[in-house]
Amino acid sequence: MTLLLTGATVLDGLGNDPVRGGAVRIEDDRIGAVHDRGPVGDADVLDLGGLTLLPGLIDAHVHIGHSSETRAVLNMELSVAERAADIFRTLRQTLDAGFTAVRDCGGIDHGVLRTVGRGLVPGPRIWASASPLVQGGGHGHLGSPFLPPDATFHFRVRGLTAVGRISDGCDEVRKAARECFRQGASFLKMAVTGGVVSLSDSLDDTQFTVEEIAAAVAEAHARHTYVTVHAHNVAGVRNAVGAGVECVEHGTGIDEATAAMMAERGVSLVPTLAIAKVLEENFDQHGLPEQIRCRVGDTLQGMTDALLAARAAGVPIGSGSDLIGPNQNRRGLEIALKARVLGAREAIMSATSVNARIMRVADRIGSVESGKLADLIAVDFDPLAEPELFDDPDRVVLVVKGGRIVKDTRK
């Protein structure tokens, strides 16, 4: 199948100047040529005049498995069927919003990856960590304190969802990491500080020792992959960077010296501004315990300051929304918020080519280049002039995944 997209202004995701009236030729599931119409022949021609064509967007920090109201899940108020339906709805919403790839940082089992991969439900390409590694009583240990610490979480559903895997000590970390890979993980996620959505820690706490983090890194390297860490304070970030991780999520509190350490060791940062903004505006809609409200606090400003410090040091800045709950329809807000800090061009790159590099898949996705997978979107606005409109999924009027049109609302 050959598809020829013509007439659009093309942004390649690499930071180059837009090309007006560009043409992108798709051969089967790959981009065959860029800015070269070639013979039309039997190609299906789509006139995208007046639109802007970009690489499919990438959200490098999602929690697809947490697509239901948190309190309802913890209280066993939802059936497995309802939770599955919520997950499949979120997958469809994510794709419709122009995100053709995601990195799930904890919450889904390989059953969901297989379901999407087989085309049984629509959704983006997924790279997942399966169960995040968490220490007893740390961020991600959501079990009731009235249950024994080794009790299997009653809200885990094999084949569908994955929850924090408790691992205390290097041997348990190794065992947990290996089980994550058995669940279909393509990288490891570890919580090395307290978190916002936590019940028994604070943002200032550090979690896991350097030796425990290094054990996870060793297991990841044995599988030719990497570890990324949830971190909300400098001490936790420094522990993780010293242990050999490749990426930091959130990064609240990163200062100039820590950013320099990250840059020296090739560590990336994925700030998650969107979830802080959404919780700040609509906390009651997420079904979270009331004691978490005060934790949201100034994390948005803290991540913004960290982002600026990291950027100045030359740290690669990715893009992740970290949305949770049943209304994960504002992934583009992350790009809009980053554009206020970095400018529209860098914000778009963070959600395309930079994310692809962080995820080690830049040879496949993240830019409009010949040979890449044909994951493309068209929007009905100028992304460089109005990046805030990424926050409106309806402004994404065409989505192509693997050379197939999966959304087309062009007028």
Side-chain angles (χ1 to χ4, degrees):
M1 175 181 173
T2 301
L3 188 62
L4 186 61
L5 310 180
T6 65
T9 296
V10 179
L11 285 176
D12 62 10
L14 298 169
N16 294 312
D17 290 337
V19 175
R20 305 193 184 282
V24 175
R25 192 177 191 88
I26 297 172
E27 304 283 354
D28 296 321
D29 67 342
R30 300 275 171 172
I31 297 174
V34 181
H35 308 316
D36 179 10
R37 285 177 57 95
V40 174
D42 59 355
D44 291 330
V45 180
L46 268 64
D47 183 358
L48 304 184
L51 304 177
T52 301
L53 188 70
L54 304 93
L57 302 173
I58 305 169
D59 191 334
H61 192 122
V62 306
H63 293 291
I64 301 293
H66 299 300
S67 291
S68 302
E69 186 186 82
T70 302
R71 184 181 289 114
V73 172
L74 297 181
N75 292 340
M76 293 293 288
E77 297 170 0
L78 293 175
S79 66
V80 172
E82 289 169 302
R83 292 176 63 186
D86 285 340
I87 287 171
F88 297 151
R89 182 195 63 240
T90 295
L91 288 167
R92 173 81 251 188
Q93 287 178 336
T94 298
L95 193 59
D96 282 348
F99 289 85
T100 55
V102 297
R103 184 179 64 157
D104 192 287
C105 288
I108 56 173
D109 188 273
H110 70 287
V112 175
L113 277 67
R114 287 173 55 182
T115 301
V116 176
R118 292 175 57 196
L120 300 178
V121 297
R125 303 180 192 278
I126 307 171
W127 283 264
S129 68
S131 298
L133 305 186
V134 302
Q135 73 172 39
H139 178 66
H141 189 172
L142 298 177
S144 167
F146 303 111
L147 291 173
D150 58 349
T152 299
F153 293 148
H154 56 276
F155 41 89
R156 173 188 289 133
V157 180
R158 291 285 184 182
L160 184 69
T161 65
V163 295
R165 186 168 295 282
I166 310 305
S167 44
D168 294 317
C170 292
D171 287 343
E172 287 191 10
V173 167
R174 291 190 190 95
K175 184 176 181 179
R178 293 168 186 176
E179 178 60 18
C180 285
F181 289 122
R182 192 172 79 94
Q183 285 181 283
S186 51
F187 67 99
L188 296 178
K189 160 81 176 301
M190 201 171 198
V192 300
T193 74
V196 175
V197 184
S198 288
L199 301 177
S200 56
D201 61 24
S202 72
L203 293 174
D204 293 333
D205 294 345
T206 59
Q207 297 174 5
F208 286 116
T209 64
V210 173
E211 292 75 19
E212 288 171 318
I213 303 169
V217 169
E219 290 299 322
H221 287 175
R223 295 277 186 149
H224 309 290
T225 189
Y226 65 96
V227 175
T228 191
V229 293
H230 157 106
H232 275 294
N233 63 61
V234 167
V237 171
R238 285 177 167 268
N239 285 344
V241 173
V245 308
E246 284 192 17
C247 189
V248 172
E249 312 295 311
H250 318 303
T252 309
I254 288 174
D255 55 19
E256 183 177 332
T258 306
M261 179 184 181
M262 292 172 65
E264 180 184 356
R265 303 195 183 198
V267 179
S268 302
L269 173 65
V270 178
T272 55
L273 309 179
I275 185 60
K277 186 68 171 176
V278 168
L279 286 178
E280 183 181 83
E281 295 176 348
N282 304 304
F283 182 86
D284 293 333
Q285 296 179 11
H286 284 77
L288 295 169
E290 183 62 29
Q291 63 263 42
I292 290 174
R293 185 189 297 269
C294 63
R295 290 171 176 255
V296 177
D298 59 358
T299 54
L300 180 58
Q301 187 59 51
M303 283 190 285
T304 300
D305 293 341
L307 185 162
L308 290 171
R311 181 201 196 192
V315 172
I317 306 295
S319 183
S321 68
D322 197 20
L323 299 178
I324 57 173
N327 298 309
Q328 299 186 26
N329 59 353
R330 299 190 66 188
R331 299 199 188 283
L333 174 62
E334 187 68 24
I335 302 173
L337 293 173
K338 277 200 175 69
R340 298 178 189 176
V341 183
L342 301 176
R345 193 181 300 257
E346 285 189 48
I348 293 167
M349 290 174 61
S350 75
T352 52
S353 59
V354 177
N355 268 354
R357 290 199 301 273
I358 289 171
M359 293 163 56
R360 296 187 175 187
V361 291
D363 59 326
R364 285 173 273 176
I365 62 173
S367 59
V368 184
E369 294 181 281
S370 178
K372 297 288 182 73
L373 287 167
D375 293 354
L376 302 160
I377 66 169
V379 299
D380 66 356
F381 60 93
D382 181 349
L384 296 178
E386 300 176 293
E388 66 276 8
L389 295 181
F390 278 112
D391 191 24
D392 182 356
D394 291 338
R395 304 303 293 268
V396 178
V397 297
L398 179 73
V399 179
V400 178
K401 178 190 171 190
R404 296 184 177 275
I405 298 172
V406 293
K407 177 186 178 182
D408 188 357
T409 59
R410 291 172 299 146
K411 296 180 180 178

